[in-house]
Structure formats: C-alpha cells, structure tokens
Amino acid sequence: MQKKQKHTSALEEKNGIPAPEITDDSAISKVILNRKKQPSEQELIRGILDSNITALSRAITLVESKNPKHLEKANTIIKGCLPYANNSIRIGVTGVPGVGKSTFIEAIGKHLISLDKKIAVLAVDPSSTITKGSILGDKTRMADLVKESNAYIRPSASGDSLGGVARKTRETIILCEAAGFNTIIIETVGVGQSETTVHSMVDFFLLLKLSGAGDELQGIKRGIIEMADAIVINKADGDNVKRAKLAKVEFARALHLYPEKESSWSPPVSMCSALNNEGIEAVWKMITKYINITTKNNFFLKKRQEQNKFWLLQTIEEQLKFDFYNNKTIKTELQKQLKLIEENKTTPFAAAEDLLKLI
Ligand SMILES: Nc1nc2c(ncn2[C@@H]2O[C@H](COP(=O)(O)OP(=O)(O)OP(=O)(O)O)[C@@H](O)[C@H]2O)c(=O)[nH]1
Ligand SMILES: [Mg+2]
C-alpha cells in the first residue's frame, strides 16, 4: 500500500504523468489474475508498480510476443514503467557450459535475499534461438531460489536472432526494475556473441572459470577476459582447491597485462565453491566495492548512458533489418537474386545493391 503511494506520487511529481486511473485494488488483482481476461496496459502497469508478479510475467510475455498488437501493448507498458526503472544493479554472469553459472547465481541470490534485496534472474541464451530451449528452462539448478518470494526467475526468451532476444531482455530488465527488483542477474553461456550482448546491458560483468583443465589460459577468448570486471574460479572445493589456487595466480598475472580500465577498476580474481556456498559473500563485497568506486568517479552513470546510446543504434539496425526482410517486394526479389547467384549470373554485391535500391 505504502509502496504504491510512493510510486504514484513519484510519478506525478517527477514527470507530471498522471498515475493509471485504477482505484479498486482487489479488482485489479482479480482482473490480472484471471487468465482468461486480457488486462489493459494501464492495469498491467499498475500491477507491475505494485510488484504483482502475475502482471510482470504477463507484461514480459507481451514483450516476448511476435504479434504486432502485443508489441504495441508492450511498448506502452514499457513507457509507463520507464520512470521507475534504472534503480538497480545489473550483473552479468558468463562462463562455459557447466562451469556452474546457475549454481553460482542461486548461491549469490540467496545471499542477496538475506540482505533484503529483491533479485530477478534472466538469461540470454544463444542456443535457445535455434533450439527454442532455454538454459533456465527447468530451473532445477535454482530450486531454492525459485521458492523465494523476493526472487523472480524468468527463463530466456527465444527468438530468431540474438539481437531480438537481447532487445527483449533489455525491456524485461526495465519491467523487473519497475516491479521493485533491485538486483538483476543475467546468465549467459560464454560462447559466441552472447557475452558481448550481455556485457552491453550490465553494470558488472563476471566471468566464471574452472581450474584444472590443463593450461589455464588456453582456449580463453581474449575479448571475454577484457570485458570481465572480475574472474571467479568456481568449483574450488575438494581435490580442486590446489588447482584453483594455481589458476587464480595465472589469471591474476594474465589480467595484469591488460591496460588500466576507464573505470579505474582493476578486475580481481577470486575463488569460490558455488555448491558449498564458499567465497560467495566475498564476491558480493567485491561487486559492492566496484559499485561504490564507479559511482563516486561517475563511471557507473557514464557507462549506462553509453549503453543506452548503443542500444538506440542497435534497435534501429534491428528494426531496419526486420522491415527490409519482411517487405513483400524484397521477399520476392530476394528469391530471384538468390537464384541468379546460384546460376552465377550476378555477384552478391550487385544483387545487394539492386535489392537495397528497392526501398
Ligand atoms: N564441485 C562443484 N560442483 C559444482 C559447483 N558449482 C556447480 N557445480 C556442478 O556443476 C554442474 C553444472 O552446474 P550449473 O550451475 O548447471 O552450470 P551452468 O554453468 O549454469 O551450466 P549451463 O547453464 O548448462 O551453461 C552441476 O552438476 C553442479 O552441481 C561447485 O562449486 N563445486
Ligand atoms: Mg545454467
């Protein structure tokens, strides 16, 4: 009750936007919870601002939909929620399949809940764009977190392109923040392009590593190390502790070779056992330290602004591509040009030029 009043007055005070005109609380919840009825955009906005999880989930489903009508609704909801977004710490967790990302997120998530935080866990999963599966699909690795009322776990959206999935995730972050989740954790597999995408939407980017796989520095993409704000060696338990310590030294040495970051933060290397809940608190302390330092030197805000600019351009690109490939004339002409290419009657460049001239 108190929360809603805060929302309403903040909205009106800050932006002069009138709050959604709904007065009867029980009616709203009933409408939202009644799955047969489609709640209006205003009802969903109000529900989200009231931290109603059903409203949040329904809004995210609209964001993820391919139906243009749903997307229009989703846009209205996002706009309505935007004044309340931004007030969170966004953390990206990456690492190869099986490194323990989900286990780690569950462990740190539980710690955060003990600190009275509200956390939302999302995923960007490049494989799901192909298989329509999801790395958080079964939620089995977060069995405890799922039960917490202060945690919201949303399996990754599927889509035709990473760009599309990324956009949906960005919008989902906004909705979760408006619903009062103040810590957003995004899991992504450290293969392909997804980590670059996630890096561009979080404040802190954490790379989980394993030890004991031969030469520690082999097979690590330089780019990911460069993006990392911290490297945490997971599964530092049992027989593995010694190797984990060695890996820690190796990684610290490797990180030393990179130039100082604009944030003036030197990415540290630490160890943990997500399974045994060891070293998790220390990771959170480290993230807090990062937030403090970068808030003071203004890098935190600057990074978010840069990310917003990047996303503006990214969205334009996605939209142009979408409009292009869904244009009827283009669709027909594209088939013709593909055939001509098969028959060696044109070059890819000439074909592209011809097609682009059509718009
Ligand atoms: N010994 C040990 N095992 C762990 C630890 N963390 C995770 N595991 C195990 O490693 C396996 C993979 O863990 P997940 O958390 O699913 O790994 P993930 O990185 O999320 O995997 P994907 O989502 O498939 O990319 C599971 O069997 C976990 O129990 C740890 O700290 N120590
Ligand atoms: Mg996982």
Side-chain angles (χ1 to χ4, degrees):
M1 201 61 189
Q2 211 178 358
K3 186 162 193 186
K4 185 172 67 195
Q5 276 164 1
K6 201 179 97 205
H7 271 311
T8 310
S9 57
L11 181 63
E12 284 170 347
E13 269 169 33
K14 266 196 194 163
N15 305 288
I17 306 167
E21 279 177 30
I22 298 162
T23 45
D24 180 358
D25 273 4
S26 57
I28 306 161
S29 295
K30 264 184 214 151
V31 173
I32 288 167
L33 291 169
N34 182 351
R35 292 191 171 270
K36 278 179 200 153
K37 275 191 191 165
Q38 189 57 253
S40 73
E41 292 92 316
Q42 293 308 317
E43 284 165 334
L44 285 176
I45 294 171
R46 172 47 66 87
I48 291 169
L49 298 185
D50 274 343
S51 305
N52 180 318
I53 295 300
T54 312
L56 175 63
S57 293
R58 294 196 78 156
I60 296 174
T61 304
L62 290 175
V63 164
E64 290 174 353
S65 170
K66 281 196 178 135
N67 180 333
K69 270 190 195 154
H70 290 171
L71 290 182
E72 215 172 282
K73 271 190 153 193
N75 283 338
T76 309
I77 297 167
I78 291 161
K79 262 194 195 150
C81 286
L82 209 51
Y84 311 105
N86 265 321
N87 200 9
S88 79
I89 306 297
R90 304 166 185 165
I91 302 161
V93 177
T94 193
V96 294
V99 68
K101 297 178 291 294
S102 302
T103 314
F104 173 84
I105 292 171
E106 161 136 297
I108 201 162
K110 281 195 286 183
H111 176 57
L112 291 173
I113 281 170
S114 78
L115 299 176
D116 258 351
K117 307 259 181 221
K118 286 190 77 179
I119 70 159
V121 182
L122 316 173
V124 170
D125 179 5
S127 62
S128 76
T129 58
I130 301 157
T131 61
K132 308 279 182 218
S134 155
I135 43 177
L136 290 177
D138 54 9
K139 295 186 186 174
T140 48
R141 299 269 173 254
M142 301 189 195
D144 286 346
L145 208 52
V146 168
K147 293 181 214 142
E148 296 285 348
S149 60
N150 278 340
Y152 177 70
I153 300 177
R154 181 80 184 188
S156 57
S158 60
D160 298 329
S161 68
L162 181 58
V165 172
R167 177 186 168 165
K168 290 169 191 172
T169 309
R170 286 267 307 172
E171 293 176 340
T172 301
I173 293 176
I174 293 169
L175 298 181
C176 289
E177 289 173 348
F181 291 97
N182 53 21
T183 315
I184 314 285
I185 305 182
I186 305 173
E187 172 176 345
T188 192
V189 182
V191 288
Q193 277 295 304
S194 61
E195 60 272 28
T196 315
T197 305
V198 171
H199 179 252
S200 63
M201 55 175 91
V202 297
D203 307 310
F204 192 91
F205 194 63
L206 194 148
L207 172 62
L208 278 187
K209 293 297 305 178
L210 288 173
S211 60
D215 182 353
E216 305 314 332
L217 295 175
Q218 252 178 37
I220 302 160
K221 278 182 268 170
R222 190 188 151 94
I224 302 187
I225 296 229
E226 247 172 333
M227 284 189 286
D229 293 306
I231 294 179
V232 177
I233 297 150
N234 189 33
K235 306 198 186 184
D237 45 47
D239 295 345
N240 217 15
V241 175
K242 214 170 151 189
R243 273 176 295 185
K245 280 183 183 161
L246 276 174
K248 187 180 158 184
V249 175
E250 294 258 315
F251 281 118
R253 201 177 291 149
L255 281 176
H256 216 70
L257 301 174
Y258 291 103
E260 197 188 328
K261 293 195 167 197
E262 199 194 334
S263 55
S264 76
W265 167 259
S266 314
V269 185
S270 71
M271 303 188 300
C272 79
S273 169
L275 199 63
N276 298 344
N277 226 336
E278 288 161 5
I280 302 295
E281 263 187 70
V283 172
W284 177 244
K285 272 195 186 140
M286 177 203 20
I287 296 175
T288 317
K289 194 173 159 193
Y290 173 88
I291 305 295
N292 286 339
I293 290 177
T294 54
T295 307
K296 272 194 193 127
N297 69 17
N298 220 25
F299 180 79
F300 188 88
L301 206 67
K302 194 178 158 202
K303 187 171 172 183
R304 281 207 175 177
Q305 282 166 348
E306 290 303 321
Q307 288 176 337
N308 281 336
K309 288 182 203 164
F310 170 80
W311 283 102
L312 166 69
L313 300 179
Q314 197 73 5
T315 310
I316 292 173
E317 261 172 51
E318 276 290 318
Q319 195 62 47
L320 283 175
K321 252 202 241 169
F322 181 86
D323 292 347
F324 181 78
Y325 287 114
N326 284 286
N327 179 299
K328 261 193 184 160
T329 319
I330 298 289
K331 272 186 183 170
T332 330
E333 283 305 310
L334 182 60
Q335 290 313 316
K336 284 185 197 163
Q337 294 286 358
L338 286 170
K339 193 139 198 308
L340 288 176
I341 284 188
E342 256 177 36
E343 294 163 353
N344 258 330
K345 287 182 181 160
T346 184
T347 67
F349 313 104
E353 216 176 304
D354 284 349
L355 286 166
L356 287 166
K357 270 186 201 150
L358 294 173
I359 47 163

